[in-house]
Amino acid sequence: MAGNIDAVIAALRVVLDAAEESDEPFVKVEAANRWIKQLPGTWTGRWRKLMLKGDGSGDARRDEFVGHVRAVLAFLESNSKEAPATRKWWSLRRRSGQQQPAAPVAAQAAAAAVKPVKARPVNLLRVRKPMPGVH
């Protein structure tokens, strides 16, 4: 978990450096938001308010952008130890690392002896269709 937050902090520092070195008066907010979205729980959790809102075209003034990214970095650095645990999305069986018990050898041999039947593709051009009104 802390690795995720550390990676986001590192990416935001790069975005901040690029914005500070730029001479453009406006910066795209997506430059920072794409990294903030990587935090667990950003969409529904406590960190969703870290997202920067831009104008209609997705731009923000450079000084506001730099100030916001600095604040987000300070917040993440101070709260990285209290980050909520991420939920695993895969099944409990795979998460626990336990293997499924092996099937008996006889059952494996019987399954290998049965020849699978291949389904033939249907040629839809040759399928007979009923004529309208004649049944």
Side-chain angles (χ1 to χ4, degrees), residues 26-33 52-61 65:
F26 291 96
V27 179
K28 294 278 186 195
V29 295
E30 188 61 26
N33 286 346
L52 181 62
K53 302 214 185 330
D55 59 4
S57 62
D59 294 334
R61 288 191 5 232
F65 180 84

Side-chain angles (χ1 to χ4, degrees), residues 2 13 22-23 30 36 51 53 57 61 64 69 71 76-77 86 98 103 114 124 130 132:
R13 284 190 181 136
S22 173
D23 293 334
E30 188 61 26
I36 296 171
M51 305 283 279
K53 302 214 185 330
S57 62
R61 288 191 5 232
E64 290 177 1
V69 172
L76 291 177
E77 288 170 350
T86 57
Q98 297 174 354
V114 175
L124 296 177

Side-chain angles (χ1 to χ4, degrees), residues 18-67:
E20 288 175 336
E21 293 173 2
S22 173
D23 293 334
E24 297 292 323
F26 291 96
V27 179
K28 294 278 186 195
V29 295
E30 188 61 26
N33 286 346
R34 77 175 131 212
W35 301 113
I36 296 171
K37 289 176 189 175
Q38 300 300 315
L39 293 168
T42 302
W43 294 101
T44 58
R46 66 183 216 179
W47 289 342
R48 77 174 166 224
K49 298 204 178 190
L50 294 178
M51 305 283 279
L52 181 62
K53 302 214 185 330
D55 59 4
S57 62
D59 294 334
R61 288 191 5 232
R62 187 168 54 97
D63 56 344
E64 290 177 1
F65 180 84
V66 168

Side-chain angles (χ1 to χ4, degrees), residues 113-128:
V114 175
K115 185 176 180 181
V117 178
K118 283 187 162 181
R120 288 181 30 197
V122 176
N123 185 350
L124 296 177
L125 297 175
R126 298 197 51 135
V127 174
R128 293 187 180 249

